[in-house]
């Protein structure tokens, strides 16, 4: 079976979350630098260098941040697994009670819950208590490398939109083209995140567009101020 087929929903959503955050961060930080530096100087080369440097810094920062965050989450899950494994071996009755309570809270009768818990304790006690109590699937820990790579690649891909716009467009319309490129990029990111997460596309698109425009306005104002 392929790795993609073995991934749990939590693992898939983890990669999606990292990718969406990375893409948005790449777009907004690069366009923010472009407009803050562009408001402070008219030197086109200075603006480009600042934007490129920010793109690399953003991609590496997002990757390292995701790696550290997801590693901590994976470590916590492994600690929980070790604790429950010890409890299954030393005190199986309390484990069975926890499993029974899980089904009772979901409307199953006490008698049926007890029968289900007893059956599951015979077949897969550790897997069952992890799933019912913590929502963890044994052997499926969130992968920090996948999250870091997804975040780095998506941050780079997102930041490319405003960077290419300011670099390749004519001088008299370069900022207008950059704004349009940013709006298009954040709209695509919003649509993609809604599609992958089964959310509301229009809401996600407009939310991202408003955040993108607000980011441009704030950074432009900062550049003008200094």
């Amino acid at each position: 079976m392929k790795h993609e087929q073995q991934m749990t929903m939590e693992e898939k959503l983890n990669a999606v979350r990292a990718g969406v955050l990375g893409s948005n961060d790449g777009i907004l930080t690069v366009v923010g630098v472009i407009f803050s530096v562009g408001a402070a100087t008219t030197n086109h080369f200075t603006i480009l260098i600042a934007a490129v440097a920010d793109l690399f810094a953003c991609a590496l920062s997002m990757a390292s941040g995701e790696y550290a965050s997801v590693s901590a989450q994976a470590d916590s899950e492994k600690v929980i697994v070790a604790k429950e494994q010890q409890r299954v071996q030393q005190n199986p009755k309390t484990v069975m009670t926890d499993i029974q309570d899980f089904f009772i809270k979901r409307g199953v009768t006490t008698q049926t819950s007890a029968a289900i818990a007893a059956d599951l304790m015979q077949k897969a006690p550790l897997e069952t208590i992890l799933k019912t109590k913590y929502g963890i699937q044994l052997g499926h820990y969130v992968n920090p490398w996948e999250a870091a790579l997804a975040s780095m690649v998506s941050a780079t891909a997102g930041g490319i939109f405003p960077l290419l716009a300011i670099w390749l467009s004519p001088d008299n319309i370069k900022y207008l083209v950059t704004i349009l490129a940013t709006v298009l990029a954040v709209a695509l990111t919003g649509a993609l995140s809604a599609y992958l997460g089964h959310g509301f596309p229009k809401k996600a698109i407009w939310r991202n567009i408003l955040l993108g425009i607000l980011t441009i306005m704030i950074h432009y104002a900062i550049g003008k101020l200094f």
Side-chain angles (χ1 to χ4, degrees), residues 1-7:
M1 184 178 292
K2 294 181 180 180
H3 175 65
E4 289 80 3
Q5 295 174 318
Q6 296 174 333
M7 290 177 68

Side-chain angles (χ1 to χ4, degrees), residues 25-217:
D25 200 64
I27 297 165
L28 298 182
T29 56
V30 170
V31 78
V33 166
I34 288 172
F35 276 86
S36 59
V37 176
T41 179
T42 57
N43 189 308
H44 192 56
F45 182 74
T46 300
I47 297 170
L48 284 177
I49 289 297
V52 171
D54 178 77
L55 180 61
F56 281 102
C58 172
L60 293 174
S61 174
M62 288 296 295
S64 61
E66 279 296 324
Y67 181 83
S69 175
V70 176
S71 291
Q73 182 181 347
D75 291 343
S76 296
E77 291 178 355
K78 291 174 183 177
V79 169
I80 290 171
V81 171
K83 183 186 75 173
E84 290 300 330
Q85 189 171 27
Q86 185 179 27
R87 207 159 68 98
V88 166
Q89 294 171 352
Q90 296 180 356
N91 203 350
K93 288 185 179 180
T94 60
V95 175
M96 188 167 72
T97 300
D98 288 343
I99 296 172
Q100 183 179 352
D101 290 342
F102 171 84
F103 289 102
I104 290 174
K105 290 176 181 178
R106 280 151 183 79
V108 182
T109 64
T110 302
Q111 185 178 0
T112 304
S113 298
I116 294 173
D119 184 55
L120 290 173
M121 283 297 292
Q122 290 292 326
K123 295 176 179 177
L126 181 58
E127 291 85 343
T128 302
I129 189 61
L130 290 173
K131 188 67 176 178
T132 56
K133 191 173 182 180
Y134 303 100
I136 296 175
Q137 186 171 334
L138 187 63
H140 289 264
Y141 307 111
V142 287
N143 191 318
W145 289 107
E146 286 181 355
L149 182 60
S151 186
M152 182 174 67
V153 171
S154 59
T156 303
I160 286 292
F161 277 82
L163 180 60
L164 290 179
I166 197 71
W167 181 22
L168 300 177
S169 56
D171 288 346
N172 59 327
I173 59 169
K174 62 184 178 181
Y175 288 109
L176 175 60
V177 173
T178 303
I179 293 173
L180 293 176
T182 300
V183 169
L184 175 62
V186 294
L188 288 174
T189 301
L192 181 61
S193 65
Y195 173 75
L196 295 175
H198 304 289
F200 301 101
K202 289 184 179 180
K203 184 177 181 180
I205 290 171
W206 281 112
R207 179 175 60 235
N208 275 16
I209 290 175
L210 290 174
L211 288 174
I213 293 173
L214 182 62
T215 298
I216 291 172
M217 293 172 62

